[in-house]
């Protein structure tokens, strides 16, 4: 009987699900999920934590759209339905407003920031003195220059990225979802003539609970003491890989000092960050520099093969520089400890490419370290070799001005190496959006005619590409002379504007383009997206920018081999084959006209990856004052949704009715259970008579 009832119920449910009756879950009928959101996450270092998080079950609040700073009075004091989820335009995403909400966090459940398609006049959530505690200047080295005492590099910085908020902060795009939220607010929450709105109210719920707390030593200790079979990690060190290559290859198995070897290091940084997780585009802050260096490396390929300079040139692209120089400090550490192909004594000089956007009306400036230049030998090399290696008139700031935030500072912490930093600013940054989500293609004035297709945009040489091509040409010529090259050949060195414009398009508009597809390995094609890569260093090793720069540097400086690179090795089964002197990369190649198959080929280049993880984690010194100690908290999921919330009275009434129904059903069930023999008895037939 029971089995028959179960089959009948199943058949009824199946019938209704096959009919026009909706079988959506109750959750889908209540909540509207928000898809285009990005959270602020928690980061930790040796001493404290920064960033944002929600409670473990998410934070919920009645939506309030902030229209001006004066309008803060409603969510912070006057509003009768706290806590509030504050929705604000990016123009109101200021330190003043955020700190007021932080101080009244009992009435603020969270913040949602609408990021528009156009940029404000200026915005930088970074500090005014980037990496001030891990550079070269300290109480022991140029104390009068430490902590930006003489030069404030980022005066627009409001420091929001380094604050801690105990409520979630999400970003929203200016799209249909945001308009839907605003309309929900207007329909249900907007106060009329100062009176409280009537229920139901439109509410938002944000989930971004972070597992790590306090600081890096605490979270790493908790990682270590987890004894379960599947340990629950709470944080991970920030890190990736540095990319490097040289015009003359090194045996990758022989580390340490090289006798009679002198090397010029040409460096640039790869990473950037923003207040929100993985929305950093770093156009001027990082892309302008490493694109210029890639173009300079390509411009040097032919001349260094035809007339090799007496010194080697090593191109280094550092990851994690935003977070206390992770990449450069790791390379210096490896050089000091015999874990790199050269050591610090092999370095002749360093030329670093900083922010070189070259906005209209600005010049390039050569920055050097005034403390190390007190040594006459270093000063002579800086003035007579480094400055004089530039064949165009450039300006160098007052000799008493310190170096701007740069990887060169980590080399100088180890020993006084002659070096300069090329940048578009004399003192404070020209970049109005340093380390923010507005440092994008628009900040570099990277624009295209409206009638061009994506493929035509890839080939269109923009004014920005022309400017950076000129800078790359200057850099390439300076490097060749600095390395002791033939000065009669210097004027033949020219960067290619087409390559520069293709790189700018791929790194700032769309990485999924025909040129990037051609130079990547077949199994890496999925990292190419119809959008620019993210330049936040993160915790995932071999990020998209790292891989792109690795393969581009190999293609721009290496040799193309149209043969299989190993007997019996299928060309598509191993995209990267390492030898002692070279790396061999199998790439997709272009699709010829009237063909559907790519002309794949092998690239031989002296391009390598080395770890860009802070030495603090190699040494187990999680409270180190010498190296970066940044970690990122782990989390289970990130989610945002809106819904209508009923009044407190209605919620209590619903709860009461639910409890009453529950107890009634329990009583009915108990009664039926105790009287089952009577209620479900059946008349038995008499037993058969025996004859």
């Amino acid at each position: 009987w029971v089995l028959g009832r179960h089959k009948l119920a199943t058949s009824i449910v199946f019938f209704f699900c096959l009919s026009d009756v909706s079988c959506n879950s109750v959750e889908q009928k209540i909540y509207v999920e928000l898809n285009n959101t990005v959270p602020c996450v928690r980061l930790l270092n040796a001493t404290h934590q920064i960033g944002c998080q929600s409670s473990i079950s998410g934070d919920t609040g009645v939506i309030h759209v902030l229209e001006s700073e004066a309008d803060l009075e409603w969510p912070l004091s006057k509003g009768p339905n706290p806590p509030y989820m504050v929705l604000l335009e990016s123009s109101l995403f200021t330190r003043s407003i955020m700190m007021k909400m932080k101080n009244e966090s009992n009435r603020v459940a969270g913040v949602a920031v609408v990021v528009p398609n156009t940029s404000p006049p200026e915005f930088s959530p970074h500090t005014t003195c980037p990496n001030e505690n891990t550079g070269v200047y300290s109480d022991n080295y140029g104390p009068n220059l430490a902590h930006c005492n003489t030069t404030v590099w980022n005066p627009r910085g409001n420091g929001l990225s380094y604050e801690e908020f105990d409520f979630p902060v999400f970003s929203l795009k200016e799209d249909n979802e945001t308009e839907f939220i605003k309309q929900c607010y207007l329909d249900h929450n907007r106060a009329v003539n100062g009176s409280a709105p009537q229920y139901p109210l439109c509410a938002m719920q944000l989930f971004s609970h972070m597992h790590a707390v306090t600081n890096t030593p605490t979270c790493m200790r908790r990682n270590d003491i987890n004894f379960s079979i599947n340990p629950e990690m709470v944080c991970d060190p920030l890190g990736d890989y540095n990319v490097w290559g040289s015009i003359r290859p090194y045996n990758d198995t022989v580390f340490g000092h090289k006798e009679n070897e002198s090397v010029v290091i040409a460096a640039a940084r790869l990473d950037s960050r923003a207040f929100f997780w993985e929305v950093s585009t770093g156009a001027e802050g990082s892309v302008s520099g490493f694109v210029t260096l890639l173009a300079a490396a390509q411009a040097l390929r032919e001349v260094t093969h035809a007339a090799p300079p007496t010194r080697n040139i090593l191109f280094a692209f550092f990851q994690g520089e935003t977070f206390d120089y992770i990449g450069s400090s790791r390379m210096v550490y490896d050089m000091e400890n015999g874990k790199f192909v050269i050591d610090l004594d092999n370095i002749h000089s360093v030329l670093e490419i900083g922010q070189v956007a070259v906005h209209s009306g600005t010049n390039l400036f050569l920055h050097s370290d005034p403390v190390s230049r007190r040594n006459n030998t270093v000063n002579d090399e800086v003035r007579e070799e480094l400055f004089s290696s530039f064949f165009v008139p450039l300006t160098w700031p007052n000799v008493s001005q310190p170096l701007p935030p740069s990887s060169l500072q980590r080399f100088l912490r180890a020993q006084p190496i002659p070096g300069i930093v090329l940048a578009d600013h004399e003192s404070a940054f020209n970049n109005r959006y340093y380390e923010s989500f507005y440092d994008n293609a628009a900040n570099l004035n990277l624009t295209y005619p409206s009638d061009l297709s994506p493929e035509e945009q890839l080939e269109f040489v923009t004014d920005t590409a022309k400017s950076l091509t000129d800078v790359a040409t200057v850099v390439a010529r300076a490097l060749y002379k600095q390395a002791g090259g033939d000065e009669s050949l210097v004027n033949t060195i020219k960067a290619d504007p087409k390559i520069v414009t293709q790189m700018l398009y791929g790194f700032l508009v769309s990485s999924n383009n025909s040129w990037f597809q051609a130079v990547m390995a077949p199994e890496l094609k999925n990292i190419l997206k119809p959008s620019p890569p993210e330049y936040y260093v993160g915790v995932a090793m071999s990020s998209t920018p790292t891989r792109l720069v690795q393969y581009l540097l190999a293609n721009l400086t290496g040799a193309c081999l149209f043969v299989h690179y190993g007997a019996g090795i299928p060309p598509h089964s191993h995209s990267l084959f390492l030898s002692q002197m070279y790396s061999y990369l199998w790439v997709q190649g272009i699709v010829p006209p009237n063909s559907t198959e790519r002309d794949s080929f092998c690239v031989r280049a002296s391009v390598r990856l080395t770890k860009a993880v802070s030495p603090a984690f190699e040494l187990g010194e999680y409270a180190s004052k010498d190296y970066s100690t940044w970690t990122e908290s782990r989390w289970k999921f990130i989610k945002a949704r809106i819904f209508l919330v009923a009044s407190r009275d209605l919620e209590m009434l619903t709860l009461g009715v639910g409890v009453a129904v529950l107890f009634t059903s329990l009583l009915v069930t108990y009664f039926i259970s105790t009287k089952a023999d009577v209620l479900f008895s059946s008349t038995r037939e008499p037993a058969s008579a025996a004859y």
Side-chain angles (χ1 to χ4, degrees):
W1 179 84
V2 174
L3 180 61
R5 288 285 300 271
H6 176 72
K7 289 182 177 180
L8 178 61
T10 304
S11 301
I12 294 173
V13 171
F14 182 71
F15 169 78
F16 279 111
C17 284
L18 288 179
S19 67
D20 293 334
V21 178
S22 174
C23 291
N24 292 334
S25 68
V26 174
E27 181 181 10
Q28 291 174 326
K29 295 179 182 296
I30 296 175
Y31 299 103
V32 176
E33 302 289 338
L34 303 177
N35 299 314
N36 297 323
T37 61
V38 181
C40 156
V41 302
R42 172 166 288 169
L43 299 168
L44 309 98
N45 66 8
T47 58
H48 62 289
Q49 62 189 23
I50 63 173
C52 323
Q53 77 152 358
S54 73
S55 61
I56 194 168
S57 57
D59 289 321
T60 303
V62 174
I63 296 173
H64 178 76
V65 177
L66 200 68
E67 298 175 349
S68 67
E69 186 166 358
D71 196 31
L72 268 176
E73 187 179 12
W74 184 267
L76 298 187
S77 60
K78 288 179 60 177
N81 307 115
Y84 285 94
M85 195 68 68
V86 179
L87 179 71
L88 51 83
E89 301 292 337
S90 63
S91 59
L92 298 174
F93 185 47
T94 64
R95 183 176 182 84
S96 171
I97 290 177
M98 290 299 294
M99 295 308 288
K100 286 180 180 178
M101 290 191 287
K102 177 180 177 178
N103 295 332
E104 295 290 340
S105 58
N106 60 318
R107 289 184 60 91
V108 176
V111 175
V113 182
V114 180
V115 179
N117 298 321
T118 57
S119 303
E122 60 182 44
F123 177 74
S124 174
H126 207 73
T127 60
T128 57
C129 190
N131 291 357
E132 65 175 304
N133 296 315
T134 48
V136 68
Y137 302 110
S138 65
D139 294 338
N140 301 319
Y141 189 98
N144 59 312
L145 305 176
H147 308 294
C148 295
N149 286 333
T150 59
T151 305
V152 178
W153 295 108
N154 186 35
R156 302 175 182 88
N158 60 29
L160 277 179
S161 289
Y162 289 84
E163 289 289 340
E164 180 191 359
F165 298 95
D166 56 1
F167 50 73
V169 183
F170 279 51
S171 73
L172 306 173
K173 292 183 178 180
E174 196 174 37
D175 56 11
N176 292 335
E177 278 191 353
T178 303
E179 292 304 315
F180 181 80
I181 297 171
K182 290 180 178 179
Q183 190 59 50
C184 188
Y185 164 78
L186 293 175
D187 292 342
H188 298 278
N189 297 5
R190 190 178 181 90
V192 180
N193 298 324
S195 61
Q198 300 298 310
Y199 285 96
L201 300 177
C202 190
M204 180 183 291
Q205 190 172 34
L206 301 179
F207 297 86
S208 62
H209 180 66
M210 302 285 124
H211 295 335
V213 294
T214 310
N215 52 39
T216 290
T218 300
C219 82
M220 294 301 290
R221 184 174 66 250
R222 291 178 178 177
N223 284 348
D224 294 339
I225 63 175
N226 202 316
F227 298 110
S228 64
I229 297 176
N230 297 310
E232 184 80 11
M233 308 293 284
V234 296
C235 72
D236 300 282
L238 294 182
D240 203 305
Y241 284 98
N242 294 326
V243 182
W244 68 272
S246 54
I247 59 173
R248 290 197 295 272
Y250 289 111
N251 188 328
D252 194 45
T253 63
V254 180
F255 296 152
H257 185 71
K258 301 287 190 295
E259 292 295 334
N260 302 318
E261 179 74 355
S262 181
V263 182
V264 174
I265 291 183
R269 55 178 277 193
L270 285 179
D271 67 303
S272 182
R273 72 164 298 195
F275 181 87
F276 298 103
W277 183 65
E278 288 199 335
V279 291
S280 53
T281 48
E284 184 172 350
S286 56
V287 175
S288 66
F290 73 70
V291 163
T292 298
L293 187 54
L294 284 168
Q298 189 274 334
L300 286 168
R301 178 169 63 178
E302 298 301 328
V303 69
T304 54
H305 286 176
T310 56
R311 300 185 183 98
N312 204 352
I313 301 175
L314 188 148
F315 304 101
F317 299 84
F318 296 123
Q319 270 284 15
E321 296 300 273
T322 303
F323 294 95
D324 294 331
Y325 306 117
I326 293 174
S328 57
S329 64
R330 179 55 185 263
M331 181 172 283
V332 171
Y333 172 82
D334 288 344
M335 288 181 177
E336 289 178 312
N337 291 277
K339 298 180 179 180
F340 195 68
V341 293
I342 61 171
D343 67 5
L344 292 171
D345 292 331
N346 288 126
I347 300 176
H348 168 266
S349 55
V350 176
L351 171 57
E352 181 173 352
I353 316 300
Q355 300 180 78
V356 288
V358 195
H359 291 290
S360 176
T362 63
N363 299 313
L364 290 175
F365 299 89
L366 297 174
H367 298 266
S368 61
D369 171 42
V371 179
S372 61
R373 288 182 62 183
R374 294 171 189 167
N375 180 306
N376 291 332
T377 302
V378 174
N379 185 57
D380 291 343
E381 288 184 357
V382 170
R383 291 187 62 86
E384 297 175 10
E385 290 199 38
L386 301 188
F387 285 170
S388 64
S389 63
F390 288 86
F391 290 83
V392 295
L394 299 178
T395 306
W396 52 87
N398 189 296
V399 73
S400 63
Q401 180 174 285
L403 278 171
S406 53
S407 305
L408 175 57
Q409 293 199 29
R410 292 302 301 193
F411 286 88
L412 290 173
R413 280 182 62 134
Q415 65 184 51
I417 297 172
I420 54 176
V421 176
L422 182 67
D424 62 3
H425 55 89
E426 183 174 10
S427 55
F429 297 155
N430 290 331
N431 191 350
R432 299 171 297 158
Y433 308 113
Y434 184 73
E435 306 294 15
S436 82
F437 41 75
Y438 295 116
D439 189 9
N440 51 27
N443 190 33
L444 284 187
N445 298 319
L446 193 64
T447 56
Y448 302 91
S450 58
D451 58 341
L452 296 185
S453 66
E455 194 64 27
E456 291 171 331
Q457 290 179 357
L458 176 66
E459 303 291 332
F460 182 79
V461 180
T462 61
D463 291 339
T464 302
K466 294 176 184 177
S467 296
L468 289 185
T469 300
D470 292 340
V471 179
T473 299
V474 169
V475 169
R477 292 176 178 180
L479 285 171
Y480 188 63
K481 183 182 178 183
Q482 200 172 324
D486 186 347
E487 292 192 26
S488 66
L489 299 176
V490 166
N491 288 333
T492 65
I493 301 173
K494 293 182 179 179
D496 188 340
K498 181 180 177 181
I499 288 178
V500 173
T501 205
Q502 289 175 324
M503 285 194 289
L504 287 175
Y505 182 85
F507 284 117
L508 293 174
V509 180
S510 171
S511 62
N512 191 16
N513 59 73
S514 60
W515 189 52
F516 276 23
Q517 291 169 5
V519 301
M520 292 300 291
E523 64 269 26
L524 293 177
K525 62 183 179 181
N526 291 333
I527 71 173
L528 303 178
K529 308 294 182 184
S531 58
E534 301 293 346
Y535 297 99
Y536 168 70
V537 62
V539 298
M541 305 298 278
S542 295
S543 62
T544 297
T546 298
R547 284 299 192 184
L548 290 175
V549 170
Q550 176 195 14
Y551 275 77
L552 282 171
L553 183 62
N555 278 270
L556 295 176
T557 61
C560 299
L561 309 176
F562 290 89
V563 294
H564 291 190
Y565 52 76
I569 302 177
H572 293 287
S573 64
H574 299 285
S575 68
L576 180 61
F577 172 73
L578 297 177
S579 72
Q580 293 181 349
M581 302 299 291
Y582 293 99
S583 58
Y584 293 81
L585 292 81
W586 193 266
V587 299
Q588 293 191 105
I590 63 171
V591 180
N594 303 321
S595 175
T596 58
E597 296 292 327
R598 292 184 177 272
D599 282 344
S600 300
F601 59 92
C602 180
V603 176
R604 185 189 69 188
S606 57
V607 175
R608 306 283 181 170
L609 299 180
T610 57
K611 275 189 178 182
V613 177
S614 172
F617 299 100
E618 297 285 320
L619 301 169
E621 298 176 358
Y622 305 134
S624 172
K625 295 181 179 179
D626 296 322
Y627 299 110
S628 171
T629 56
W630 286 104
T631 54
E632 179 186 88
S633 174
R634 289 197 179 187
W635 60 84
K636 287 193 180 297
F637 59 87
I638 301 292
K639 187 167 66 173
R641 59 190 185 182
I642 65 171
F643 59 98
L644 293 180
V645 61
S647 68
R648 189 72 175 172
D649 293 340
L650 182 58
E651 287 179 341
M652 296 307 296
L653 176 62
T654 305
L655 176 62
V657 171
V659 171
V661 170
L662 172 64
F663 281 107
T664 302
S665 62
L666 290 175
L667 289 172
V668 171
T669 302
Y670 175 76
F671 174 77
I672 294 175
S673 178
T674 57
K675 303 297 182 180
D677 292 342
V678 177
L679 295 174
F680 302 112
S681 63
S682 57
T683 304
R684 295 186 178 182
E685 294 182 1
S688 300
Y691 295 96

